Amino acid sequence: HPLIYVDSWAKWPYAFLSEDGVPKGFNVDLVAEMMRRLRIPYQVRLCNQESAHEELRNDSADLSFGAAADYNAPFGRFGRVTVCHYTYGMLVPRADSTGTISVSQLRGRKNIIVSNSSRPHHYLRKVGFPDSVLTVVTDMEMEILREATEGTGGALWNSMMLKWVINKYRLGDRFVVVPVDIPYGEYRFMSG
């Protein structure tokens, strides 16, 4: 029986589907190299994040990556080794670019767009941001494209993922990613 590795299909540059529908990304390459060296047969399944978590919880999958946080604990067990650290940024129009945005500066915003069940979503709720200022979405790529079309900003997400979308759609002439002072996250292996 092959080991089943499951991950999100929208976690650029960590895991994503190429235009040809082929799993790509850092996480996919890391698992492939590990399985090759250990001579373990494996399969890669990329799906939406909620489905990936459910597959781990239901033992339909054996391995994934996840943010080492209490809100992900119901879905699987975390390894002890941190695969990578990641930071957060906010998509802003280039003209509005500033230094690091503090949490107190975020409190002055009328609308902050976060990915459903993401670390920024959980963190902002934990530190008392009301639901009325949070727009929770499931497809950040589409939301970023909507913001770019309207000339606004406000998407708060993993900095690398934001930069990936900016590069993919050539939005760098109009938008930048400004660091946000939220504690960094840790990706770790998760098993069911």
Side-chain angles (χ1 to χ4, degrees), residues 108-184:
R109 295 188 68 92
K110 294 177 182 153
N111 187 28
I112 302 168
I113 298 146
V114 293
S115 181
N116 186 34
S117 293
S118 65
R119 194 161 195 284
H121 180 207
H122 286 281
Y123 179 79
L124 293 179
R125 294 188 77 213
K126 181 179 175 181
V127 298
F129 277 70
D131 289 341
S132 61
V133 300
L134 300 178
T135 299
V136 181
V137 300
T138 56
D139 189 340
M140 283 294 275
E141 181 179 19
M142 296 313 304
E143 186 61 28
I144 291 165
L145 292 175
R146 185 195 62 74
E147 289 180 51
T149 301
E150 294 178 6
T152 62
L156 174 58
W157 206 20
N158 175 308
S159 296
M160 288 298 293
M161 292 181 195
L162 278 171
K163 289 177 183 178
W164 182 270
V165 174
I166 285 172
N167 288 335
K168 179 179 178 180
Y169 293 102
R170 296 184 174 94
L171 303 173
D173 59 329
R174 296 182 298 142
F175 292 92
V176 295
V177 175
V178 175
V180 176
D181 191 21
I182 291 178
Y184 68 83

Side-chain angles (χ1 to χ4, degrees), residues 73-115:
F75 304 112
R77 293 178 301 278
F78 293 105
R80 292 189 201 132
V81 176
T82 298
V83 176
C84 70
H85 289 110
Y86 55 96
T87 60
Y88 300 98
M90 181 168 277
L91 180 75
V92 298
R94 188 169 283 283
D96 297 340
S97 178
T98 63
T100 301
I101 298 171
S102 68
V103 173
S104 62
Q105 289 170 315
L106 282 178
R107 289 192 190 281
R109 295 188 68 92
K110 294 177 182 153
N111 187 28
I112 302 168
I113 298 146
V114 293
S115 181

